[in-house]
Amino acid sequence: MLESDLVTCTRKKISKMGGWNLRNSYYLALMTVAHVLGEIAHFLINASAREVARDLQFGELACFFNASSSDQTVLDNNNCSEIPSKDVCENIGSCSWDYSGLGIEYQILAGPAFVAIFSFSSVLLAVFSDQHKHSIPRTVILGAGTAVLSSACLLMSCVDSYWQLVVLRMFIAVGESVCRPLCGALIANIFSPGSRGVANGIFFWGVYVGFGLAFLLSLNTAQVGLEWRTTYILVAVPGFIVSILFLFSLDDPIPSEESANSVSEKEINITKMGESLANPILWILLLGAIARQTAGLAWAYNTELYFQNYYPNLDFGYWIFSASVVGGCFGVFAGGFLSDRLASEFGFSSRLMFLAGCTLISGPLATGTLYFNPPEAMVCLFLYYFFAETWFGSLFTVIVELVDPEVQATVIALFLFFMNQIGGNLPIIVTPLHIWLHDYRFALCLVWPGFLALSSLLFLFSAAPLYWKQLMQRNSEEDEQVLVIEQIE
C-alpha cells in the first residue's frame, strides 16, 4: 500500500512538472543529439565541397591563387579568380587551375541525391513505424537509423570516386529520415500538451546547431592539417554511441489507450481529407513554402563556396556557426512567441501577415549578405537568420488550424513531402544561372533573396481571404449584438 501511494505521489509530481522529469529529459537529450549529428552529416558536403571536389576530381574548374606562391599581392587582390582561361591561368606562376567545388555534380550531390531519398524514406519509414509500433519499438528503428547514418559517414572516409559519394549520401539521407517523424511521435507521447512546444523547439534547434557545427568542424580540421575525410569519422563515432543508447537504454512509451484503439478507428477520413485538400489557401501556402525552402537551401548549399570564392582570406567558420545557432535558434523561439501573441490579439490571419513580414524583411538582409563586405555582411547574415527562421513554426501552426484534426498528421506529411521534393531540388538552378550569367553572386541573389520575396508575396496573398473572412465574421457578430440591444430596448 505504501509503495502504491509513493508511485501515485510521484506521478502527480511529474504531471505538475508538465512532463519534465529526468527520464523524459534524457529521451529528449538523446533525440536532440541524434538530430544534431544527422544535420552535421547532411551539411558536411556543403562545408567541404571544394576539398572533396579536388580530392575526387569532379565539377567545374577555375583559376585560384597558388598557395605555394610567395606573391601575396595576388591573393590580396584576388586576381586569379578573375581569369577565365586555363591557358592564361597556368602561365601565371602565382595562379593554378583547379576544381572549384561548383558545378552540376556538386548541386546534385547537395540537393537531389539527398533530398529525394530523404523525402520518400521519411514517409515510408513513418508509415512502417505506425503499422508495426506494437511489434517493433520506435526506439529500435531510431537506433537502426542512427547506425545506418554512422556507417555511411564512416564509409565516406574511404571513397575514391564520385558515384560512391552519391550512394553514401543517399544512405545518410535514409539514416537521418528516421529521426524527425519518429522523434516527433515520441515527444508527443512522453511530454504533456503544455510541454510539447518547448520540447519540439529544443529538438528542432538541432537543425541550426548541426548546420553551424558542420562548417566549424570542416574548417577547423582543415586548419590543423587534417583531411575532409576525418570530419565524417568524427561524426560516425558518437553516432554509433547514440545508436547503442537508443537500442539498450530506452523503451518505447506507447500510451496504453493508444494500444487499445482498433485499426479501423485510425483509418483516414477520406471526406475530411478531401475537404482539407480542397482549401485553396493550403495550396497557396504550399507554393510559398516551396519558394521559401528553395531560398533557404540555395544559401545552405552554397555558403562555403560563396565565401571561398569572394573572400578567400576570411575565416568564416565561427561567423556561420554564431549566425545559424544564435540567430536561428532565437528566431525560431521569437517567431513562435510573437505569432502566438499576435494571433490572440488580432486573430488567426495575423500569423500569416507576421510570416509574410518577417520573410520580406529577410530578403534585403540576404542581399546585404551577398553584396556587403565582411563584417557588415556577417551582421546582415545574423539578422537574416533571426527574421527568416521564424517561418517554420508559424507556417505549420497555420496549417494545423486550417485542416480537420482527424487528418492533420496526414496533411502535414504530404505538405512536407512536396515542399522538400520541389523546394529541396530547385536550388540546383544556381549552377545553370551561374553559367548563363557568368556571375555566381548574381545567380545566387536571384535564387536566395529572389525566392524569399516570392514566398513573402504568396504568404501575404494567402492571408487576404482569411482576413476578409475574419472581418465579415466580426461585422456579423457586431450586427447581432446591435440587434439584441435594439430588441431589449
Side-chain angles (χ1 to χ4, degrees):
M1 184 69 180
L2 184 61
E3 184 179 353
S4 176
D5 291 341
L6 182 62
V7 170
T8 303
C9 181
T10 304
R11 285 177 178 172
K12 285 181 179 179
K13 286 181 179 179
I14 289 173
S15 64
K16 287 180 181 179
M17 292 169 65
W20 290 101
N21 55 66
L22 187 61
R23 171 179 172 272
N24 292 357
S25 298
Y26 173 68
Y27 269 79
L28 181 61
L30 201 58
M31 289 187 288
T32 304
V33 171
H35 195 193
V36 169
L37 292 172
E39 291 300 323
I40 294 174
H42 178 187
F43 290 110
L44 265 180
I45 194 66
N46 313 112
S48 56
R50 183 169 294 174
E51 293 79 4
V52 178
R54 289 178 177 179
D55 187 9
L56 301 182
Q57 299 186 346
F58 66 85
E60 293 180 358
L61 290 155
C63 193
F64 295 93
F65 172 74
N66 190 345
S68 61
S69 173
S70 58
D71 187 359
Q72 189 66 23
T73 59
V74 178
L75 177 60
D76 294 335
N77 296 329
N78 199 23
N79 293 331
C80 291
S81 62
E82 299 173 3
I83 300 171
S85 169
K86 177 182 178 182
D87 295 333
V88 176
C89 180
E90 291 180 340
N91 286 332
I92 301 174
S94 56
C95 298
S96 63
W97 190 255
D98 208 342
Y99 290 94
S100 65
L102 295 170
I104 197 69
E105 293 92 343
Y106 165 71
Q107 296 295 341
I108 289 172
L109 195 62
F114 183 92
V115 175
I117 302 300
F118 179 86
S119 300
F120 279 104
S121 184
S122 293
V123 174
L124 293 175
L125 287 169
V127 172
F128 177 83
S129 170
D130 285 340
Q131 290 181 344
H132 299 280
K133 68 172 70 174
H134 300 295
S135 57
I136 304 175
R138 289 170 293 182
T139 51
V140 171
I141 300 175
L142 275 170
T146 309
V148 169
L149 182 143
S150 302
S151 301
C153 285
L154 194 62
L155 291 172
M156 284 282 262
S157 65
C158 307
V159 297
D160 57 12
S161 64
Y162 175 76
W163 73 265
Q164 293 173 351
L165 207 61
V166 172
V167 170
L168 290 173
R169 181 93 170 132
M170 292 177 176
F171 275 102
I172 288 175
V174 172
E176 191 186 351
S177 68
V178 175
C179 194
R180 289 191 188 180
L182 269 67
C183 287
L186 286 171
I187 288 171
N189 288 158
I190 64 179
F191 286 96
S192 62
S195 302
R196 286 172 195 162
V198 176
N200 274 306
I202 292 171
F203 174 74
F204 276 101
W205 280 354
V207 176
Y208 310 103
V209 175
F211 178 74
L213 282 175
F215 285 91
L216 204 61
L217 189 63
S218 178
L219 293 171
N220 283 347
T221 50
Q223 286 175 359
V224 297
L226 297 174
E227 286 189 351
W228 63 269
R229 300 170 187 272
T230 309
T231 58
Y232 284 94
I233 298 173
L234 293 174
V235 175
V237 172
F240 284 120
I241 296 171
V242 170
S243 175
I244 292 169
L245 291 174
F246 268 130
L247 292 171
F248 298 105
S249 69
L250 299 181
D251 57 346
D252 194 338
I254 300 175
S256 57
E257 62 270 18
E258 183 177 323
S259 60
N261 291 337
S262 65
V263 175
S264 60
E265 290 175 333
K266 297 180 182 179
E267 290 180 353
I268 296 173
N269 189 317
I270 302 299
T271 303
K272 290 187 176 181
M273 173 66 77
E275 291 173 355
S276 296
L277 293 179
N279 189 341
I281 298 174
L282 193 66
W283 292 98
I284 299 171
L285 287 175
L286 177 59
L287 292 174
I290 289 170
R292 175 60 186 83
Q293 185 80 333
T294 300
L297 289 180
W299 172 244
Y301 294 164
N302 292 277
T303 303
E304 189 207 26
L305 294 171
Y306 170 78
F307 285 114
Q308 283 182 338
N309 192 55
Y310 290 102
Y311 307 103
N313 285 329
L314 179 67
D315 186 8
F316 58 88
Y318 288 99
W319 284 104
I320 299 297
F321 177 78
S322 301
S324 63
V325 174
V326 180
C329 292
F330 192 70
V332 169
F333 172 77
F337 179 81
L338 291 173
S339 68
D340 283 345
R341 295 298 176 274
L342 287 170
S344 62
E345 190 72 24
F346 301 105
F348 175 55
S349 61
S350 63
R351 286 190 190 275
L352 286 173
M353 294 180 184
F354 172 76
L355 174 60
C358 286
T359 309
L360 186 63
I361 292 170
S362 67
L365 293 169
T367 306
T369 303
L370 293 174
Y371 284 94
F372 288 144
N373 294 323
E376 291 84 0
M378 294 305 179
V379 173
C380 287
L381 183 61
F382 185 93
L383 293 173
Y384 160 78
Y385 276 112
F386 177 80
F387 284 101
E389 299 310 327
T390 59
W391 79 287
F392 205 81
S394 300
L395 174 65
F396 282 91
T397 302
V398 170
I399 293 169
V400 166
E401 293 177 8
L402 277 177
V403 302
D404 289 306
E406 290 85 350
V407 295
Q408 282 175 352
T410 306
V411 170
I412 289 174
L414 290 170
F415 194 96
L416 281 170
F417 175 80
F418 287 109
M419 184 185 81
N420 287 324
Q421 274 296 328
I422 302 172
N425 290 315
L426 259 181
I428 199 173
I429 65 175
V430 170
T431 294
L433 284 172
H434 174 207
I435 295 170
W436 179 48
L437 298 167
H438 303 289
D439 189 336
Y440 181 39
R441 176 180 274 143
F442 186 53
L444 195 53
C445 186
L446 288 175
V447 183
W448 184 23
F451 273 74
L452 283 172
L454 176 61
S455 66
S456 175
L457 291 174
L458 288 166
F459 290 144
L460 186 62
F461 185 59
S462 66
L466 289 174
Y467 177 74
W468 179 254
K469 182 180 178 182
Q470 182 181 310
L471 192 63
M472 294 296 291
Q473 186 177 356
R474 189 181 302 165
N475 291 336
S476 177
E477 290 174 356
E478 289 176 356
D479 291 341
E480 288 178 2
Q481 288 177 357
V482 171
L483 185 62
V484 170
I485 293 171
E486 288 176 353
Q487 290 176 348
I488 292 173
E489 292 176 349

